[in-house]
Structure formats: structure tokens, C-alpha cells
Amino acid sequence: MREELLRWMRSGLVTEMVYVDRHGVFSKRRVKLMKVQGEHVVAWDLNKRARRTFRIEQVLACIPINERFRKRKVEIG
């Protein structure tokens, strides 16, 4: 799974990921993968609009979707 995560991170595409948390709860996430570090992957969760860290061993599946991550511009003033 680590190699897949690295490949999709390098692609720059939004990735759909199936994850099971430490309590056994499954979730499907749309994320922008940011970095793979040790046994974890750091990603921006597009639905929660927050940075999240996932244990690689708990990522069950991931596949890029045909969507590029776009940063939103914030207007000041």
C-alpha cells in the first residue's frame, strides 16, 4: 500500500481512500496526499477541510480520481 500511496501522491490527483480506524469503523475519504512519513500518510481531507494523518496499515484501498486539487483563494478585507 505504501508504494501505491507514494505513486498517487506524486500524481497530484485527488485520491479516494478506504480506511478503517482503530475502533474498526470504516470510512471513504477524498484526500490530497501530502507526504508519506514512516508508518503514516499525511493528507488533506477535502470533505472535512482539515489535515489528517492515517496509519498506512489501516488504509484498505486507494485510487486516484480524475480531479486535481485546487487551493481556494481567500479574499482579505
Side-chain angles (χ1 to χ4, degrees), residues 33-49:
L33 300 169
M34 299 165 68
K35 67 180 171 179
V36 175
Q37 185 174 24
E39 299 302 314
H40 297 88
V41 60
V42 179
W44 182 259
D45 188 315
L46 296 171
N47 295 330
K48 295 183 186 246
R49 295 184 180 159

Side-chain angles (χ1 to χ4, degrees), residues 12-53:
L13 294 173
V14 172
T15 302
E16 195 166 81
M17 183 171 74
V18 178
Y19 183 77
V20 60
D21 71 12
R22 63 183 170 186
H23 303 291
V25 177
F26 292 83
S27 63
K28 186 163 66 168
R29 311 284 184 107
R30 283 179 55 241
V31 298
K32 167 63 175 140
L33 300 169
M34 299 165 68
K35 67 180 171 179
V36 175
Q37 185 174 24
E39 299 302 314
H40 297 88
V41 60
V42 179
W44 182 259
D45 188 315
L46 296 171
N47 295 330
K48 295 183 186 246
R49 295 184 180 159
R51 183 177 170 225
R52 296 287 189 250
T53 302

